[in-house]
Short mmCIF file of all heavy atoms in Angstrom, two decimals:
data_model
loop_
_atom_site.label_atom_id
_atom_site.label_comp_id
_atom_site.label_asym_id
_atom_site.label_seq_id
_atom_site.Cartn_x
_atom_site.Cartn_y
_atom_site.Cartn_z
N ILE A 403 8.66 6.98 11.20
CA ILE A 403 8.52 6.74 9.77
C ILE A 403 9.79 6.10 9.22
O ILE A 403 10.87 6.69 9.28
CB ILE A 403 8.22 8.06 9.02
CG1 ILE A 403 6.93 8.70 9.53
CG2 ILE A 403 8.16 7.82 7.52
CD1 ILE A 403 5.67 7.91 9.25
N ILE A 404 9.63 4.89 8.70
CA ILE A 404 10.74 4.18 8.07
C ILE A 404 10.33 3.93 6.62
O ILE A 404 9.21 3.44 6.38
CB ILE A 404 11.02 2.83 8.76
CG1 ILE A 404 11.20 3.04 10.27
CG2 ILE A 404 12.24 2.14 8.15
CD1 ILE A 404 11.30 1.75 11.07
N ALA A 405 11.17 4.28 5.67
CA ALA A 405 10.80 4.06 4.27
C ALA A 405 12.06 3.86 3.45
O ALA A 405 13.16 4.23 3.86
CB ALA A 405 9.99 5.25 3.75
N GLY A 406 11.86 3.29 2.28
CA GLY A 406 12.98 3.03 1.38
C GLY A 406 12.62 1.83 0.53
O GLY A 406 11.60 1.18 0.76
N PRO A 407 13.46 1.50 -0.45
CA PRO A 407 13.10 0.43 -1.37
C PRO A 407 13.12 -0.95 -0.71
O PRO A 407 13.83 -1.16 0.27
CB PRO A 407 14.19 0.52 -2.44
CG PRO A 407 15.35 1.14 -1.74
CD PRO A 407 14.78 2.08 -0.73
N CYS A 408 12.36 -1.86 -1.30
CA CYS A 408 12.44 -3.26 -0.87
C CYS A 408 13.90 -3.67 -0.96
O CYS A 408 14.50 -4.09 0.02
CB CYS A 408 11.56 -4.12 -1.76
SG CYS A 408 11.70 -5.87 -1.40
N SER A 409 14.50 -3.50 -2.16
CA SER A 409 15.90 -3.88 -2.37
C SER A 409 16.70 -2.71 -2.90
O SER A 409 16.20 -1.92 -3.70
CB SER A 409 16.01 -4.98 -3.44
OG SER A 409 15.17 -6.06 -3.15
N ALA A 410 17.96 -2.66 -2.47
CA ALA A 410 18.90 -1.76 -3.13
C ALA A 410 19.22 -2.38 -4.48
O ALA A 410 19.57 -3.56 -4.56
CB ALA A 410 20.17 -1.65 -2.29
N GLU A 411 19.05 -1.62 -5.56
CA GLU A 411 19.29 -2.16 -6.90
C GLU A 411 20.54 -1.54 -7.54
O GLU A 411 21.33 -2.22 -8.17
CB GLU A 411 18.06 -1.89 -7.79
CG GLU A 411 16.79 -2.58 -7.26
CD GLU A 411 15.52 -2.06 -7.92
OE1 GLU A 411 15.60 -1.25 -8.88
OE2 GLU A 411 14.42 -2.44 -7.46
N SER A 412 20.66 -0.21 -7.39
CA SER A 412 21.83 0.49 -7.94
C SER A 412 22.06 1.72 -7.06
O SER A 412 21.17 2.13 -6.31
CB SER A 412 21.55 0.95 -9.36
OG SER A 412 20.54 1.96 -9.34
N GLU A 413 23.24 2.29 -7.18
CA GLU A 413 23.54 3.47 -6.38
C GLU A 413 22.55 4.60 -6.72
O GLU A 413 22.04 5.27 -5.82
CB GLU A 413 24.98 3.92 -6.67
CG GLU A 413 25.39 5.10 -5.82
CD GLU A 413 26.87 5.43 -5.94
OE1 GLU A 413 27.69 4.50 -6.14
OE2 GLU A 413 27.20 6.61 -5.84
N GLU A 414 22.23 4.73 -8.01
CA GLU A 414 21.32 5.81 -8.43
C GLU A 414 19.94 5.62 -7.80
O GLU A 414 19.34 6.55 -7.30
CB GLU A 414 21.15 5.83 -9.96
CG GLU A 414 22.41 6.14 -10.76
CD GLU A 414 23.47 5.02 -10.66
OE1 GLU A 414 23.09 3.83 -10.82
OE2 GLU A 414 24.65 5.31 -10.41
N GLN A 415 19.44 4.38 -7.88
CA GLN A 415 18.09 4.10 -7.36
C GLN A 415 18.04 4.35 -5.86
O GLN A 415 17.09 4.93 -5.33
CB GLN A 415 17.71 2.65 -7.71
CG GLN A 415 16.46 2.13 -7.03
CD GLN A 415 16.78 1.08 -5.96
OE1 GLN A 415 17.95 0.84 -5.64
NE2 GLN A 415 15.75 0.47 -5.40
N VAL A 416 19.07 3.90 -5.14
CA VAL A 416 19.09 4.07 -3.68
C VAL A 416 19.13 5.56 -3.34
O VAL A 416 18.33 6.05 -2.52
CB VAL A 416 20.30 3.32 -3.07
CG1 VAL A 416 20.49 3.69 -1.61
CG2 VAL A 416 20.09 1.81 -3.19
N LEU A 417 20.01 6.31 -4.01
CA LEU A 417 20.13 7.74 -3.69
C LEU A 417 18.88 8.52 -4.11
O LEU A 417 18.43 9.42 -3.40
CB LEU A 417 21.38 8.33 -4.34
CG LEU A 417 22.66 7.96 -3.59
CD1 LEU A 417 23.90 8.35 -4.38
CD2 LEU A 417 22.70 8.60 -2.20
N ALA A 418 18.31 8.16 -5.26
CA ALA A 418 17.10 8.87 -5.71
C ALA A 418 15.97 8.66 -4.70
O ALA A 418 15.24 9.60 -4.35
CB ALA A 418 16.67 8.37 -7.09
N THR A 419 15.82 7.43 -4.20
CA THR A 419 14.76 7.17 -3.22
C THR A 419 15.03 7.97 -1.95
O THR A 419 14.13 8.63 -1.41
CB THR A 419 14.69 5.65 -2.87
OG1 THR A 419 14.85 4.89 -4.05
CG2 THR A 419 13.39 5.30 -2.19
N ALA A 420 16.28 7.90 -1.48
CA ALA A 420 16.60 8.57 -0.21
C ALA A 420 16.40 10.08 -0.33
O ALA A 420 15.84 10.71 0.58
CB ALA A 420 18.05 8.26 0.18
N LYS A 421 16.80 10.66 -1.46
CA LYS A 421 16.66 12.12 -1.62
C LYS A 421 15.18 12.50 -1.68
O LYS A 421 14.76 13.51 -1.13
CB LYS A 421 17.42 12.61 -2.84
CG LYS A 421 18.92 12.65 -2.54
CD LYS A 421 19.76 13.11 -3.70
CE LYS A 421 21.23 13.02 -3.31
NZ LYS A 421 22.12 13.12 -4.46
N GLY A 422 14.40 11.67 -2.37
CA GLY A 422 12.94 11.92 -2.44
C GLY A 422 12.33 11.87 -1.05
O GLY A 422 11.48 12.69 -0.70
N LEU A 423 12.77 10.93 -0.25
CA LEU A 423 12.20 10.77 1.10
C LEU A 423 12.69 11.87 2.03
O LEU A 423 11.95 12.34 2.90
CB LEU A 423 12.57 9.40 1.67
CG LEU A 423 11.85 8.21 1.02
CD1 LEU A 423 12.50 6.89 1.43
CD2 LEU A 423 10.36 8.21 1.38
N ALA A 424 13.95 12.28 1.86
CA ALA A 424 14.54 13.26 2.78
C ALA A 424 13.93 14.65 2.63
O ALA A 424 14.16 15.52 3.46
CB ALA A 424 16.05 13.30 2.57
N LYS A 425 13.11 14.87 1.57
CA LYS A 425 12.44 16.17 1.40
C LYS A 425 11.54 16.44 2.60
O LYS A 425 11.25 17.57 2.93
CB LYS A 425 11.60 16.17 0.12
CG LYS A 425 12.44 16.34 -1.14
CD LYS A 425 11.55 16.70 -2.32
CE LYS A 425 11.37 15.48 -3.21
NZ LYS A 425 10.33 15.54 -4.20
N ARG A 426 10.99 15.40 3.21
CA ARG A 426 10.21 15.55 4.44
C ARG A 426 10.93 14.74 5.50
O ARG A 426 11.83 13.96 5.22
CB ARG A 426 8.79 14.99 4.29
CG ARG A 426 8.13 15.33 3.02
CD ARG A 426 7.32 16.64 3.11
NE ARG A 426 6.84 16.95 1.76
CZ ARG A 426 5.68 16.55 1.31
NH1 ARG A 426 4.87 15.87 2.10
NH2 ARG A 426 5.31 16.83 0.08
N ASN A 427 10.43 14.92 6.72
CA ASN A 427 11.10 14.24 7.83
C ASN A 427 10.82 12.75 7.86
O ASN A 427 9.67 12.34 7.96
CB ASN A 427 10.55 14.86 9.12
CG ASN A 427 11.68 15.22 10.02
OD1 ASN A 427 12.85 15.00 9.68
ND2 ASN A 427 11.36 15.77 11.17
N ILE A 428 11.83 11.92 7.74
CA ILE A 428 11.62 10.49 8.04
C ILE A 428 12.66 10.07 9.08
O ILE A 428 13.69 10.73 9.24
CB ILE A 428 11.64 9.57 6.79
CG1 ILE A 428 13.05 9.38 6.25
CG2 ILE A 428 10.69 10.03 5.71
CD1 ILE A 428 13.15 8.15 5.34
#
Side-chain angles (χ1 to χ4, degrees):
I403 300 294
I404 307 172
C408 175
S409 308
E411 298 166 7
S412 67
E413 183 171 328
E414 296 68 47
Q415 169 251 7
V416 169
L417 283 171
T419 318
K421 284 179 183 166
L423 289 167
K425 283 195 256 167
R426 317 269 174 92
N427 229 359
I428 74 161

